[in-house]
DNA sequence: TAAATAACTTAACAAATGTTAAATAAACTG
DNA sequence: CAGTTTATTTAACATTTGTTAAGTTATTTA
């Protein structure tokens, strides 16, 4: 059940048997059905999820419309980040695009692990660093690439995503409208 | 000399006198003239800078052109992040837009502080979290806002920047061409 | 200070993306 | 399976941004 998580974690730090054990009492497995909400608007995000299976999306309401800012790839972490970090009410909503199995840990438990096990603090920092690098990469792609190139990049980087995630969410993720994505797909130049 | 840095640090953690002292032996003050390079392409970024005064830009060569991905606000941290984190050759270049005074710490010293003082690890994590939140905010603005709105946001968020930073860099930062920024400034709708 | 370079603006036309409004296709639900 | 909802496509026209090629203004340097 936790093996994907451990595989992920071991990319960043070497955990002893005991340190690995330390997580088990805090991690909770939850299942979300498609369209179920993990973190709602106005709530203070007190949990972070590792996606064991399925896709989540991070979106927010803007002018009466839902705008998807992020789609979490498989086996990655997701939370309403600014709410989680600053403990302020979330303007972001996180919900399940497909049925999901999540490994969830509460912020207070994470803080406990941070203070009790230095390697956990290190892990937290390394994961955030990694997410930050990816986020910067995405900014690059908004600055230099066309929507078509960004779309091809998704196909390459997350080939499974296209099967399970509706195009309207992918369009948002790319920063264009659904209709523009549809047109772009038709005229795509391989 | 270090007071801006301490002010910045104390937003995130409470350092004791002794912990504050721990930084002083590792922080080096350097001055860059306008256009001088702090981290070059191909180099492995082994330092991170706090901008005590002046503006840096992070850019890279793309198709023979320089593309500015980031302009560091005053009193913030800058490095070629993915190179610094992964210790791989940097494709990014960091250079001084204006004369700069930087407080610089080497990665090895930072790692030492991380391992020796848990609060430093915490500080590192908190600062990265903060940078990550800002980076996500920027992705939002690429997805939902027009270039005009993004430009107005810079004016509001960093009112001094406009005096010291050439528009060509700001245009890159906004993800548009210089000429488009110029047109947008003319037609701006307040 | 004159010449040179860099920064910024303008304009005409091209390309990309948005908007509105529909039609079709696919997936759910009773 | 029929009806309904959701997903996707298409098309015409509008708006935004890019491209190219100038020009003007400001700043730097000999």
């Amino acid at each position: 059940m936790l093996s994907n998580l451990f595989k992920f974690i071991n990319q960043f730090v070497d955990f002893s048997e005991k340190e690995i054990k330390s997580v088990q009492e805090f991690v909770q497995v939850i299942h979300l059905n498609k369209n179920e909400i993990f973190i709602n608007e106005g709530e203070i995000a007190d949990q972070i999820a590792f996606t064991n299976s399925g896709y989540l999306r991070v979106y927010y309401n803007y002018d009466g419309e839902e705008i998807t800012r992020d789609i979490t790839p498989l086996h990655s972490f997701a939370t309403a980040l600014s709410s989680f970090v600053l403990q302020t009410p979330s303007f972001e909503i996180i919900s399940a695009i497909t049925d999901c199995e999540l490994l969830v840990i509460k912020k207070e438990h994470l803080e406990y692990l941070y203070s009790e096990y230095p390697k956990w603090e290190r892990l937290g920092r390394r994961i955030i660093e990694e997410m930050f690098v990816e986020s910067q990469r995405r900014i690059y792609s908004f600055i230099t690439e066309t929507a078509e190139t960004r779309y091809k990049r998704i196909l390459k980087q997350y080939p499974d995503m296209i099967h399970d995630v509706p195009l309207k969410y992918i369009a948002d993720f790319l920063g264009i409208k659904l209709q523009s994505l549809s047109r772009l797909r038709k005229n795509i130049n391989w």
Side-chain angles (χ1 to χ4, degrees), chain A:
Chain A
M1 188 69 91
L2 298 174
S3 74
N4 285 323
L5 178 59
F6 292 144
K7 209 182 298 168
F8 188 90
I9 284 178
N10 280 319
Q11 296 177 278
F12 300 107
V13 286
D14 284 321
F15 267 11
S16 69
E17 204 59 25
K18 179 168 169 247
E19 285 161 325
I20 286 275
K21 287 281 186 293
S22 66
V23 72
Q24 302 198 1
E25 51 184 314
F26 295 123
V27 167
Q28 194 191 343
V29 180
I30 71 174
H31 292 264
L32 292 185
N33 294 322
K34 184 175 167 179
N35 293 326
E36 244 185 291
I37 286 178
F38 172 56
I39 292 173
N40 211 336
E41 196 175 358
E43 227 174 84
I44 292 177
D46 70 335
Q47 307 187 97
I48 188 165
F50 179 82
T51 53
N52 219 10
S53 71
Y55 292 95
L56 296 171
R57 70 188 178 107
V58 180
Y59 66 99
Y60 59 107
N61 289 309
Y62 182 81
D63 241 2
E65 270 185 307
E66 288 182 1
I67 312 274
T68 295
R69 191 215 58 206
D70 216 346
I71 301 165
T72 68
L74 292 175
H75 308 147
S76 63
F77 285 95
T79 189
L81 193 87
S82 63
S83 170
F84 186 80
V85 167
L86 309 170
Q87 291 291 287
T88 51
S90 180
F91 63 104
E92 298 171 310
I93 302 159
I94 303 189
S95 73
I97 295 176
T98 59
D99 295 352
C100 288
E101 179 177 276
L102 305 181
L103 306 178
V104 168
I105 185 167
K106 284 194 174 297
K107 183 171 171 94
E108 57 185 293
H109 294 153
L110 195 60
E111 295 287 350
Y112 168 78
L113 290 169
Y114 282 166
S115 61
E116 211 62 17
Y117 301 89
K119 271 195 199 160
W120 270 96
E121 182 94 47
R122 169 141 313 180
L123 176 66
R125 175 173 62 82
R126 294 297 317 282
I127 288 174
I128 292 265
E129 280 176 357
E130 200 75 8
M131 290 167 86
F132 186 39
V133 167
E134 176 55 32
S135 165
Q136 295 292 89
R137 212 175 276 138
R138 206 167 152 209
I139 289 174
Y140 269 100
S141 84
F142 277 113
I143 290 180
T144 45
E145 297 178 342
T146 62
E148 179 178 326
T149 308
R150 293 205 294 284
Y151 174 66
K152 286 178 181 168
R153 182 183 294 285
I154 290 194
L155 292 185
K156 196 170 164 191
Q157 196 171 358
Y158 311 113
D160 296 331
M161 197 183 272
I162 205 74
H163 305 122
D164 298 320
V165 176
L167 290 179
K168 63 180 168 183
Y169 302 144
I170 292 179
D172 275 356
F173 183 82
L174 297 174
I176 60 177
K177 297 294 164 187
L178 172 62
Q179 296 89 329
S180 301
L181 176 57
S182 198
R183 171 172 44 200
L184 175 165
R185 278 156 56 89
K186 190 177 52 168
N187 302 327
I188 207 158
N189 159 359
W190 289 106

